[in-house]
Amino acid sequence: MSDPTRPISSDPSLEQQLTEGEKKALEMVEAAETGGRKLFGWQAWLVTAIAVAWCLFQMYAAQVGTMVPTTLRAIHLAFAFALGFLVFPFPFKRKVGKPETKVPWYDWILAALATVSALYFFINYAGIANNGGIRPDVPLDLWAGSALVVLLLVAAWRTIGIAMPIISIAFILFAFMGAKGLIKSIQTPFHGGYTWPQLMGQLATNTEGIFGTAIGVSAQIVFLFVLFGAVFDKLGAGDWFMRIAQGLLGSFRGGAAKASIVSSALNGIISGSAVSNVVTGGNITIGTMIRTGYSREKAGAIEVASSSNGQLMPPVMGAAAFIMAQNLNIEYRSLILAAAIPAFLCYAGLLVVSHIEALKLGLRGLPRSELPRIRKTLMEGWYYLLPLGYLIGVLTANPDANPERIALNTILMMMVMMIVQEVFWGRRDGRGFGKAAADGFRKLIEAFEAGARSMIGIAIATAAAGIIVGIVTITGLGFGLADVVQGVANLFSNQFIRILVVLMMGQLIALVLGMGLPTTANYILMSALIVPIIAKIAGLDTGNPAQMLPVHMFVFYFGIMADSTPPVALAAFAAAAISGGDPVKTGVQAFQYELRTALLAYMMFFNPQLLLIANNKLGGLPLGEAIPMVIFAFIGLVAFSAATLMYFHRRTNIVQFLMLLVAAFILIIPTHILYNLAALGLMAIVYAWQRAGSRNEPPTSLPSAA
């Protein structure tokens, strides 16, 4: 494979600025997702050894398939603790450009205590399980449980931010309130209160607490898919996807943005991290977009929106999708098939957004001479499709497929491919067999370390979310909140308005929580608190996955939107670091682009057929019958994008804006064909109106692509 083309502006100052920005963005990603420390010597070797050991353990667990769930979860969390305290410094000690190069003494102590606290419940599982929780005659149980909770909150602060620990502490204090609890002076209408041993028993020894479903999914399935993405990217597939997208779309109007969107969609197949996608793809696409005429903020915002939506792309879809399948008690295959059409619509809508922006700015595409040659690029990397085709093909075609076993087989396939690829390249460039094979093993170790580091935050987030889920379970808080929201909804007599009010409240909560929480933690909290409320107001059968999937997808989509929602939008800050633009303006612009994701979330809720749901059954709608729905939904996204960007064929006035908005809202809910035709008629009127007005204006010249 040849080196990737990298078309950046011919302006040397801009190229230098982008290069410096890329370094800053990479530091941000490392600090936020993989740890900010730059260790050397034996400490670096130790971290690598722990990371590789974690990967090998997870692969072994998938191969065996019979490991006791609590054992798997405890060891999974122990590895996350060990790595987390070694590579993530305290947030107040992180300095861009001046990373720590050694692990301080107190972090060795914290890492050891946290790891031991997790392993304690694995070692003493039998005795604790027989007792049904904390053993009153074994004080060490209570001490270990207390250490586990406290150190988990500290680890969460360091790896995913302060929001999760603050929320968790608020829930812990809530559990203590009541006549029977630790805080007797404050009463609640939801429960009578709990003591410290009772709460530790719930959180540390119960499968509805820290070692509950969320971290179980992280340990059993998510790790392998994250490792798959890391190995696939190290193999070179991410770069190949980028060059394919550039070659296909770069010459079209606004082609730089369209190539960025398509490449982010392809990268989303293998990566569930918005920030990582921004950096890996944006270091090429953002500079190219700026070169062709997009402002720094718009270029960064397009990359943010396309990278954030990568979490919607099957089969990986971030860690939240695996937890969603577990919550709904459905096969993961059913979930990825249902999510395919909305993901396609989301990216199709973003392509429309980029095209409208190109029309507004009067842009052209890149010269063909500067773009990768499609045939040559395809021939260089066609074999990357083999593991991806195996993974997606078997997952979707075989109803009895075991996701973790398929992911493991795919990883093993790519491990062989990596060595063979390096040996082949070694013959071409004269490195020799031994040196090339050694380089292949080195890349494999780097991929394992990258995958393990990427899993630290996910493992910690799912464990910390278990604190909140466990407290919601024992206190009955979810039922109490449902009654409160029910009272608010009952202020409206119309059932549709009631549902709409609850959805809008859920939307706002998801966006606010998402400002401080990663998507996975956001979804876990929303599924525990808000999803049951929406289901109750809407009168849904919580035991029917076909009725509940649209609700879960609704909160999932808004959780993803939070990645680009100011003021805390790390993806926007990473993009701005590359583009040299203002991070807040980049985030605001990205949020505007992401509004179509919000519309799509409502479309899925009110039109479950977009999820292939029919006759109260998942997969009950044949794909052929879904095509008309998809077409009208896409047209609705076009109308909505044109309205929010205030541009269709030309800039819209207020009347045209309202007409486009009405057309979009009509197409949200499937009704009679006449209503759909009326929406199309409104769009046609706006287009004809603008065409007639544009004839009276002098032609504008397009800027050259040079």
Side-chain angles (χ1 to χ4, degrees), residues 368-424:
R368 268 286 174 195
S369 60
E370 297 187 12
L371 298 172
R373 293 165 55 190
I374 293 297
R375 181 180 176 84
K376 181 174 181 292
T377 305
L378 283 172
M379 293 302 296
E380 287 174 343
W382 62 269
Y383 54 91
Y384 293 137
L385 298 177
L386 296 177
L388 187 61
Y390 169 79
L391 180 73
I392 297 177
V394 178
L395 271 179
T396 55
N398 184 2
D400 300 321
N402 184 310
E404 54 265 34
R405 182 60 62 86
I406 296 169
L408 174 62
N409 292 342
T410 310
I411 292 168
L412 294 173
M413 181 190 307
M414 291 188 298
M415 289 170 63
V416 175
M417 289 176 62
M418 186 172 291
I419 305 300
V420 172
Q421 178 179 258
E422 283 299 318
V423 170
F424 177 79

Side-chain angles (χ1 to χ4, degrees), residues 6 119 131 134 138 141 164 211 233 293-294 316 325 338 383 395 434 454 516 535 537 698 700:
R6 186 175 178 176
L119 293 177
N131 185 69
I134 297 289
V138 184
D141 283 2
M164 177 64 88
F211 297 114
D233 183 64
Y294 288 95
V316 177
Y383 54 91
L395 271 179
S454 297
I537 303 299
T700 58

Side-chain angles (χ1 to χ4, degrees), residues 99-437:
E100 292 185 2
T101 56
K102 292 183 179 179
V103 180
W105 62 269
Y106 52 82
D107 275 348
W108 289 108
I109 295 175
L110 291 174
L113 289 175
T115 303
V116 169
S117 69
L119 293 177
Y120 178 88
F121 292 96
F122 152 58
I123 297 170
N124 296 279
Y125 171 74
I128 293 173
N130 291 334
N131 185 69
I134 297 289
R135 295 170 292 186
D137 58 331
V138 184
L140 197 55
D141 283 2
L142 182 59
W143 282 103
S146 303
L148 178 67
V149 172
V150 171
L151 291 169
L152 177 57
L153 294 177
V154 175
W157 175 29
R158 294 169 67 143
T159 57
I160 60 176
I162 194 62
M164 177 64 88
I166 289 177
I167 296 171
S168 299
I169 290 171
F171 274 79
I172 289 172
L173 293 175
F174 172 75
F176 286 149
M177 297 174 185
K180 299 179 182 179
L182 194 64
I183 306 176
K184 296 180 173 58
S185 58
I186 303 177
Q187 306 297 314
T188 77
F190 304 111
H191 65 95
Y194 293 88
T195 63
W196 184 259
Q198 287 175 325
L199 188 59
M200 290 306 99
Q202 170 71 9
L203 299 183
T205 68
N206 197 307
T207 53
E208 291 178 336
I210 292 171
F211 297 114
T213 299
I215 195 171
V217 175
S218 173
Q220 185 177 356
I221 302 176
V222 175
F223 190 102
L224 292 170
F225 277 84
V226 169
L227 182 59
F228 154 75
V231 177
F232 199 45
D233 183 64
K234 200 68 178 178
L235 192 63
D239 165 63
W240 184 70
F241 284 155
M242 173 70 68
R243 293 189 293 135
I244 289 291
Q246 284 183 316
L248 286 173
L249 300 170
S251 62
F252 290 95
R253 184 191 295 270
K258 292 171 181 172
S260 169
I261 292 166
V262 171
S263 65
S264 291
L266 293 172
N267 276 323
I269 294 174
I270 60 175
S271 171
S273 169
V275 181
S276 179
N277 286 348
V278 165
V279 175
T280 55
N283 62 358
I284 298 175
T285 60
I286 290 176
T288 310
M289 284 187 274
I290 293 172
R291 175 188 175 186
T292 56
Y294 288 95
S295 70
R296 297 178 187 275
E297 286 74 23
K298 288 184 184 294
I302 289 174
E303 181 62 44
V304 169
S306 58
S307 295
S308 298
N309 291 159
Q311 297 171 90
L312 307 176
M313 289 294 294
V316 177
M317 294 178 64
F322 297 95
I323 298 171
M324 187 188 304
Q326 190 79 15
N327 287 341
L328 292 167
N329 195 26
I330 61 175
E331 298 172 347
Y332 189 63
R333 166 181 178 271
S334 301
L335 180 60
I336 61 177
L337 289 173
I341 289 177
F344 166 78
L345 285 171
C346 194
Y347 273 101
L350 188 54
L351 286 171
V352 171
V353 167
S354 69
H355 187 72
I356 291 174
E357 286 286 19
L359 289 173
K360 288 171 67 176
L361 298 171
L363 304 182
R364 286 180 176 169
L366 287 164
R368 268 286 174 195
S369 60
E370 297 187 12
L371 298 172
R373 293 165 55 190
I374 293 297
R375 181 180 176 84
K376 181 174 181 292
T377 305
L378 283 172
M379 293 302 296
E380 287 174 343
W382 62 269
Y383 54 91
Y384 293 137
L385 298 177
L386 296 177
L388 187 61
Y390 169 79
L391 180 73
I392 297 177
V394 178
L395 271 179
T396 55
N398 184 2
D400 300 321
N402 184 310
E404 54 265 34
R405 182 60 62 86
I406 296 169
L408 174 62
N409 292 342
T410 310
I411 292 168
L412 294 173
M413 181 190 307
M414 291 188 298
M415 289 170 63
V416 175
M417 289 176 62
M418 186 172 291
I419 305 300
V420 172
Q421 178 179 258
E422 283 299 318
V423 170
F424 177 79
W425 286 351
R427 291 183 59 187
R428 185 185 61 188
D429 55 30
R431 277 179 291 164
F433 177 84
K435 178 66 165 59

